[in-house]
Amino acid sequence: MPAPQKRIRKGNRETADLLITNAEELVTLAGDNQKPRVGKQMRELGIIRDGSLAVKDGFIIAVGKTNDITKKFKSENVLSANNKTVLPGFIDAHSHLIFAGSREDEFQMRVEGASYMEILNTGGGILSTVKETRKASVEKLAAEGLATLDTMLEHGTTTVEAKSGYGLTTKDELKILDAIHRANQLHTVDVVPTFLGAHAVPPEYKGNTQGYINLIIEEMLPKVAEKNLAEFCDVFCERNVFSLEQSRKILSAGNSHGLKSKIHADEMSMLGGAGLAADIGAISAEHLVFSSKENLKAMAAKNVIAVLLPAAALSLMNGKYADARLMIDCGVPVALGTDFNPSCLTENMQLIIALACYLMRLTPAEAVTAATINAAHAIGRTNEVGSLEVGKKADVVILNAPNHKFLGYHFGTNFVDKVVKNGRIAVDKEIDPNKIVHLEE
Ligand SMILES: [Zn+2]
């Protein structure tokens, strides 16, 4: 006699805190995520059609077909994602979250043809933001950071990297990092701190770059490390700012304090920052608009992640964009970020995905990979976020879109229906149809 088939009775279903069911596309990014994705792997999204996931205590406990998940789990909180796309929360791998003031007048100057360096040389640009930020209290900076995080979350971002760099004195750099920490503690979005004291040479050190580098190495870095205020050390490696050798010294000092290296590289000229990133084994190099093929190959060999910032390139208005196709062909892992800052003022990773498609020819799938799992790698959070897999944080976005390709295709809109952060519903845009007023009726 055949053994009776084992049946899971409804009463035996495990209770989950939250179920998300019936997703048209459940974009899991599941797989061997020990290393950032390169080449063809960037197109493998691990999509489950009619997908579901179960959440308990803030973490994902099951992912699969709706049929299978609802046989095993029940919950008082079930979100139907019928006709919707479900993705890991977006990860913004590069932002300058904390600063004071705004620069809309300079924006107009740029529209009228002034270059970034021309504006910088007349005391505008970053230096005008430094002036405002030095005057601002830590409370004010944290409050503005929280408002920015609200907007990021509304657009589906659940983790963001945040750099200092608008203080440029020891006191003010520590103040910004303190504001980043306060924002991280008070907001549901996770904020990962980076020390960027080497963002520019402040006016009081004009003509004495070495003096400022000494200040960074001898005073700032030891205090940042002692107070445990940053995970990464970054440098703006650019002609007339910090040279390759100066950048190497600063990053190596950061390393000796346990801070991993990031580099603003080759944004405005082919200085060779990408090669330096490979040479010192940086976790990432950012911008890379003018990087040489040789240096990109060196990055690929060392698995240095290219954090591409299409909105930053767009805001420079010079028509130059990173060669993302060449990078992917060379085997460089690609990630994305907003570069949110006073001259590139966007919080919206959906826009970044679209710009990456239109301006850098990433496919929608590659752009989604770059904005999730590869971005997680770029900020050292792969074990926690970046994919919808068992054991990871339940950071999930539900989009009012039938598939992930709409992220590039239909641009300039906010597709977010719901955002789940640490297993809790943090954004809910669902409109109660009874509340819509039809004036004609
Ligand atoms: Zn930047």
Side-chain angles (χ1 to χ4, degrees), residues 94 96 163 199 264 287 309 339 341:
H94 183 135
H96 302 254
K163 303 174 194 296
H199 195 191
H264 282 64
H287 292 288
L309 308 164
D339 199 14
N341 77 69

Side-chain angles (χ1 to χ4, degrees), residues 134 168-169 201-213 215:
R134 284 178 177 177
L168 311 184
T169 65
V201 178
E204 59 274 20
Y205 281 90
K206 196 163 188 218
N208 181 17
T209 301
Q210 190 52 50
Y212 184 58
I213 293 171
L215 181 75

Side-chain angles (χ1 to χ4, degrees), residues 324-358:
R325 289 259 55 91
L326 176 64
M327 292 176 195
I328 291 174
D329 287 349
C330 288
V332 178
V334 172
L336 288 169
T338 55
D339 199 14
F340 175 80
N341 77 69
S343 70
C344 174
L345 206 57
T346 181
E347 301 88 347
N348 182 355
M349 282 298 286
Q350 295 172 63
L351 175 68
I352 300 306
I353 288 171
L355 292 178
C357 295
Y358 284 101

Side-chain angles (χ1 to χ4, degrees), residues 26 41 264 366 436-437:
L26 185 78
Q41 297 166 347
H264 282 64
E366 288 168 341
I436 297 176
V437 180

Side-chain angles (χ1 to χ4, degrees), residues 113-306:
S115 75
Y116 178 97
M117 281 302 176
E118 279 163 9
I119 291 167
L120 189 64
N121 289 336
T122 59
I126 180 174
L127 295 179
S128 67
T129 300
V130 168
K131 217 185 222 172
E132 294 292 321
T133 306
R134 284 178 177 177
K135 281 190 273 180
S137 67
V138 64
E139 290 81 10
K140 180 182 182 296
L141 292 173
E144 290 189 8
L146 289 171
T148 302
L149 291 174
D150 281 346
T151 310
M152 288 177 165
L153 182 67
E154 280 165 22
H155 290 86
T157 296
T158 48
T159 303
V160 59
E161 184 255 15
K163 303 174 194 296
S164 68
Y166 291 111
L168 311 184
T169 65
T170 304
K171 171 172 88 60
D172 291 303
E173 285 297 304
L174 293 176
K175 177 178 75 178
I176 295 167
L177 289 170
D178 188 9
I180 290 172
H181 274 259
R182 290 182 191 210
N184 182 44
Q185 278 175 348
L186 294 171
H187 206 283
T188 186
V189 170
D190 289 315
V191 187
V192 177
T194 294
F195 170 65
L196 178 59
H199 195 191
V201 178
E204 59 274 20
Y205 281 90
K206 196 163 188 218
N208 181 17
T209 301
Q210 190 52 50
Y212 184 58
I213 293 171
N214 293 343
L215 181 75
I216 291 174
I217 293 177
E218 286 158 21
E219 197 176 286
M220 291 187 190
L221 271 170
K223 289 206 169 140
V224 169
E226 180 200 313
K227 293 173 189 268
N228 204 13
L229 285 173
E231 292 181 32
F232 303 99
C233 180
D234 198 343
V235 54
F236 193 67
C237 178
E238 190 60 60
R239 201 157 281 159
N240 301 324
V241 191
F242 296 99
S243 70
L244 283 175
E245 264 326 294
Q246 291 167 336
S247 299
R248 184 193 292 271
K249 276 199 187 113
I250 293 162
L251 293 173
S252 138
N255 249 314
S256 70
H257 288 287
L259 304 185
K260 291 183 197 133
S261 305
K262 288 178 169 287
I263 310 180
H264 282 64
D266 306 322
E267 182 185 7
M268 293 164 208
S269 59
M270 198 204 278
L271 195 66
L276 175 62
D279 203 29
I280 64 170
I283 188 164
S284 66
E286 344 265 306
H287 292 288
L288 306 171
V289 177
F290 292 92
S291 301
S292 69
K293 188 173 182 179
E294 186 194 350
N295 283 341
L296 293 177
K297 282 186 168 167
M299 277 178 61
K302 290 282 198 72
N303 244 335
V304 179
I305 299 166

